[in-house]
Amino acid sequence: MNKLYRQIIAGVLLMAGILPGQAVKAATSIPTSIMMAAVPPSINDQTFTVHDDTPAGSIIGQVVATGNITDWIIIDDNSNGAITLSNNGTLTVKDANMLKSKHGTTIRISVSVSDGVFTSDVADIKVTVVASSINHAPTLDPIANQMACSGTDLHTMQLTGMSAGDPDQTYTLVAVADLPVLDLLQVTTDGILTWRLKPGQTQGSCTVTVIIKDDGGTANGGQDTKTETFTISINKIPDVRLVSDKGNIISKGDIITLTASGGDTYKWIDGVTEEVTTASITAKPTKLTTYQVVAISNQGCTDTASIEIRVLGNFVINANNVLTPNGDGHNDYWVINGIEDYPENELTIVDRGGRIVYSQKNYHNTWDGKVNGQQLAEGTYYYVFRVNSTKDVAKGYITIIRNY
């Protein structure tokens, strides 16, 4: 017999009450049932899992061993009292707070078993402590970089892809800029982001960070926050100018050249009959005409300028041409409608012979058909109305009727 077998036989003989001196003789007559009972106990490595919020007293699992077990022997235990092993092999939570502190780790308990005579080899019992729940991070789509032209226009954009990390959660949105170049920056829960540059901010850039946070918390390594950043690049608006080579007042039939400056490209939108994109155009206006051009920078910023061209010899005023100064309140005075639109004017009235019968600077609808307080005779008289600021001249006639 080998040594182990002899030890087993000796142990069995002792259990059967046979003295050591009788061992050789008795070995040949030991019943098979006793020989089978002499198999040593054994235990294998085993693995269990427990949630980190499991309350004290809860059973984690049953450790399995073979043989006629009388004792469970703990050789080493790094649970720090979080777990206990009963004498029947039941793993139980002992300290819930200690178990919580073991989150994300594996507790190792070295165990052997005994039948009162023989002891098994040591087995590793592993208990992995996992989170009961982990909050997933909220979502937010990437945000494209933005370009802004200097000025105080309000910019609005729609964010997309917002959601809390898990169902039945809510989220909030916050936007912050890394430089103080914005006069307004705000974002609503439904993802409407609004911003405006500070007055006088003509160049530079800033980085805006949008933060979405849900109410799931960060316990057990969860994530409740996600950020997305984008850049606002600031570009100067063109300083557009528009001039005429012959000024703002021209004679009828003149051809003028209008030239815009301050932009990289141009688009004429008023005063022209076809699409023009050059900086200069030629024109032959026949009446009062407004020309307008849009200057565009390479960055897409725009500014608009306009110029009004007056054509002499084409000026008409809206006035009554009949004067009936009889005091009835109708046509008692010669009235130019909208006289306030013609500051610095001068009115001259002559008779058929060309003699001046009335002259007034800054006329205000006060002539009643008299000269030096005396009534003029009935008949036709002729007026010349000048606007000194624009050099416009209007001519026409007035008929005086009395006893009307």
Side-chain angles (χ1 to χ4, degrees), residues 76-372:
D76 188 26
D77 177 8
N78 71 345
S79 72
N80 299 116
I83 296 174
T84 183
L85 179 65
S86 69
N87 204 38
N88 65 358
T90 302
L91 283 169
T92 306
V93 176
K94 182 179 181 181
D95 188 326
N97 291 330
M98 182 58 67
L99 181 68
K100 191 76 173 180
S101 71
K102 294 290 185 177
H103 161 75
T105 66
T106 297
I107 297 172
R108 303 175 68 94
I109 302 175
S110 299
V111 177
S112 65
V113 290
S114 171
D115 60 6
V117 177
F118 302 105
T119 300
S120 70
D121 293 332
V122 176
D124 278 338
I125 308 302
K126 300 176 181 177
V127 181
T128 301
V129 185
V130 298
S132 57
S133 62
I134 299 177
N135 181 42
H136 296 90
T139 64
L140 175 63
D141 288 343
I143 307 171
N145 292 333
Q146 303 292 307
M147 189 279 294
C149 300
S150 57
T152 56
D153 291 343
L154 197 64
H155 301 265
T156 300
M157 56 193 298
Q158 175 67 64
L159 305 182
T160 59
M162 299 87 62
S163 70
D166 294 289
D168 301 322
Q169 292 181 357
T170 60
Y171 64 84
T172 57
L173 285 166
V174 176
V176 293
D178 66 336
L179 294 175
V181 301
L182 301 180
D183 185 47
L184 172 69
L185 177 62
Q186 62 185 25
V187 61
T188 62
T189 303
D190 54 356
I192 303 297
L193 181 69
T194 305
W195 53 276
R196 181 176 58 217
L197 296 176
K198 285 185 176 180
Q201 197 71 44
T202 61
Q203 60 184 357
S205 65
C206 71
T207 298
V208 175
T209 300
V210 179
I211 306 166
I212 182 171
K213 183 175 182 179
D214 64 29
D215 54 2
T218 58
N220 307 320
Q223 298 182 29
D224 64 355
T225 303
K226 178 179 174 59
T227 62
E228 290 288 345
T229 61
F230 68 96
T231 299
I232 298 176
S233 299
I234 306 167
N235 297 293
K236 186 178 180 180
I237 291 178
D239 184 14
V240 61
R241 286 175 170 77
L242 179 57
V243 297
S244 165
D245 65 336
K246 294 185 178 178
N248 295 66
I249 302 172
I250 64 172
S251 298
K252 193 171 184 178
D254 281 352
I255 297 176
I256 59 174
T257 299
L258 302 177
T259 302
S261 61
D264 295 306
T265 58
Y266 302 90
K267 182 179 181 181
W268 294 82
I269 56 176
D270 280 332
V272 296
T273 58
E274 59 185 16
E275 184 174 344
V276 181
T277 58
T278 57
S280 296
I281 63 170
T282 58
K284 186 180 179 180
T286 59
K287 59 181 180 179
L288 178 66
T289 304
T290 299
Y291 296 88
Q292 191 172 47
V293 65
V294 177
I296 309 166
S297 71
N298 289 333
Q299 293 76 33
C301 298
T302 63
D303 192 21
T304 303
S306 62
I307 188 171
E308 186 178 73
I309 303 298
R310 291 181 176 270
V311 181
L312 296 178
N314 199 43
F315 178 56
V316 177
I317 61 174
N318 182 11
N320 58 319
N321 58 4
V322 176
L323 192 62
T324 59
N326 56 9
D328 65 353
H330 297 286
N331 294 325
D332 289 333
Y333 298 94
W334 188 64
V335 175
I336 300 174
N337 294 319
I339 188 66
E340 64 275 4
D341 294 332
Y342 309 114
E344 300 181 18
N345 66 66
E346 184 176 349
L347 173 65
T348 302
I349 299 177
V350 300
D351 61 14
R352 287 179 178 272
R355 294 181 294 270
I356 297 176
V357 297
Y358 182 80
S359 179
Q360 179 68 53
K361 290 184 177 180
N362 296 321
Y363 179 67
H364 283 93
N365 297 335
T366 56
W367 188 56
D368 58 359
K370 295 178 181 179
V371 57
N372 296 325

